[in-house]
Amino acid sequence: MLPDTEPLQQPKSRRIDALDLARGLALIAMAIYHFTWDLGFFGYTEPSLTAFGGWKLFARCIASSFLFLVGVSLFLAHGNGIRWKGFWRRFAMVAGAALAISVITYFAVPDDLIFFGILHQIALASLLGLLFLRLPTLLTLIVAVAVIAAPNFLRTPFFDHPAWWWVGLSSVNPRSNDYVPLFPWFGAVLLGIVAARLATSSGLFARLAGFSLGSWSKPLTFAGRHSLAFYLIHQPVLIACVWLFSQVMPADIPTKEVQFRTSCERTCQDTRDAEFCTRYCACMLDTLEKDTLDALFAGKQTQELRDKVNDSAGYCTADTENTSP
């Protein structure tokens, strides 16, 4: 799992390099995504570029791959009996790192506080995953599908209180730079457990353990073996590099109005044509008051603010449809 430096249980003599390679590739993909996010944060790319379209799908694939590997590693390490000493040591490392990230972001970027990100999810999923190590494969698969599907059917205002945001069933997702709640993401961990059980019973892991990768893979497998360290270090290093570059060649930061319109049109074009979105977003910008726009950029989640935005969206949708040629 991420992190996972503990020797895998199957087979006893050596690690499975292919899993370390997969973990290393996922880390590189994560670094690419974070670097692109950093460029947007400093104004070198379009606002919110990584929050839409292919970049959004890319981010979800990265998170899914990490959590899938958490399930695989959890089964390999503890499927034949939970090794409590090693488990609690690993859990303390991940939970401690998650807490540190929450504390740092609380002071550094309070409007985008990471209160339940990927490490928080891994810590909780590692605990909950133990319950499924001995359950029938089919039952685990059914629960995995149910967990993944739950946000599409079970969202309710009951979970809108911040104390329940970690569950992932609130009517509106809270703002955060890294939000990976229990639903639907725990489903990926369960799928990893299912896949590991099937791979073990079919002898796939035994065959992979005997497969030696070339020297080209050493940087990736090294990163995979030290994934927690890579995760904690890479983003500060990337941000520092972009910050240093910005001191020499600063980006032209667009106004809030330009950022809002760009983000609005990008989101709108997921369901409507470009001409409609151009007119609709211009209407939204005209109807939203400056204090409302400032509140949106501050990340406020009040019901009053949501009502204002919904009222403007309803008016602009009707107006744009009525005036379209």
Side-chain angles (χ1 to χ4, degrees):
M1 56 183 142
L2 175 68
D4 187 341
T5 58
E6 188 171 274
L8 300 175
Q9 190 171 348
Q10 296 285 344
K12 295 180 180 180
S13 59
R14 59 178 298 178
R15 295 178 66 97
I16 299 177
D17 289 342
L19 293 180
D20 288 328
L21 175 63
R23 198 175 291 110
L25 289 172
L27 288 167
I28 296 302
M30 176 186 64
I32 292 172
Y33 176 84
H34 284 166
F35 181 66
T36 306
W37 186 94
D38 295 340
L39 292 176
F41 182 78
F42 283 93
Y44 291 103
T45 64
E46 294 182 15
S48 303
L49 173 66
T50 56
F52 303 99
W55 281 105
K56 184 176 182 179
L57 178 61
F58 185 46
R60 290 181 174 179
C61 290
I62 295 169
S64 298
S65 66
F66 274 129
L67 294 171
F68 179 85
L69 290 170
V70 167
V72 171
S73 296
L74 190 67
F75 181 82
L76 285 173
H78 305 288
N80 291 335
I82 301 174
R83 299 148 62 188
W84 288 109
K85 183 178 179 180
F87 174 83
W88 288 122
R89 177 168 55 86
R90 190 71 52 230
F91 177 83
M93 291 174 58
V94 179
L99 178 61
I101 287 176
S102 292
V103 172
I104 292 170
T105 56
Y106 175 80
F107 291 103
V109 284
D111 291 335
D112 295 299
L113 166 68
I114 298 177
F115 58 90
F116 206 85
I118 186 72
L119 291 182
H120 303 73
Q121 170 65 247
I122 289 174
L124 178 60
S126 297
L127 279 174
L128 297 179
L130 296 179
L131 302 174
F132 293 86
L133 294 180
R134 299 297 181 86
L135 292 182
T137 302
L138 181 58
L139 177 59
T140 304
L141 178 61
I142 292 172
V143 174
V145 173
V147 169
I148 293 171
N152 296 314
F153 304 100
L154 300 180
R155 288 186 180 272
T156 170
F158 172 81
F159 293 102
D160 286 350
H161 191 280
W164 293 106
W165 282 350
W166 62 273
V167 176
L169 296 178
S170 56
S171 58
V172 178
N173 283 341
R175 178 168 175 169
S176 175
N177 275 338
D178 185 24
Y179 181 52
V180 190
L182 182 65
F183 295 92
W185 295 102
F186 181 52
V189 178
L190 294 178
L191 290 179
I193 292 174
V194 170
R197 182 181 285 116
L198 294 176
T200 299
S201 62
S202 67
L204 176 61
F205 282 142
R207 292 191 295 273
L208 286 176
F211 181 74
S212 179
L213 300 173
S215 59
W216 62 269
S217 67
K218 289 183 178 180
L220 292 172
T221 55
F222 179 83
R225 293 187 183 105
H226 302 88
S227 51
L228 179 60
F230 186 101
Y231 180 87
L232 294 176
I233 294 171
H234 85 283
Q235 181 66 321
V237 171
L238 291 175
I239 289 179
C241 290
V242 179
W243 179 83
L244 287 172
F245 182 80
S246 71
Q247 304 309 298
V248 180
M249 297 185 63
D252 294 327
I253 305 298
T255 64
K256 290 180 180 178
E257 289 76 12
V258 172
Q259 293 183 53
F260 174 84
R261 188 161 181 170
T262 301
S263 178
C264 175
E265 291 180 1
R266 187 182 295 274
T267 304
C268 174
Q269 288 178 18
D270 287 339
T271 55
R272 306 297 290 260
D273 61 80
E275 182 179 355
F276 174 92
C277 291
T278 299
R279 296 163 63 88
Y280 167 80
C281 292
C283 173
M284 287 289 290
L285 197 57
D286 289 339
T287 57
L288 291 176
E289 300 174 353
K290 184 179 183 302
D291 61 339
T292 303
L293 197 61
D294 290 341
L296 285 173
F297 275 85
K300 295 182 178 179
Q301 298 283 339
T302 64
Q303 186 60 48
E304 180 182 2
L305 179 62
R306 289 197 290 266
D307 291 340
K308 286 183 179 181
V309 174
N310 289 335
D311 289 344
S312 294
Y315 168 79
C316 289
T317 298
D319 182 69
T320 304
E321 290 176 342
N322 291 335
T323 58
S324 295

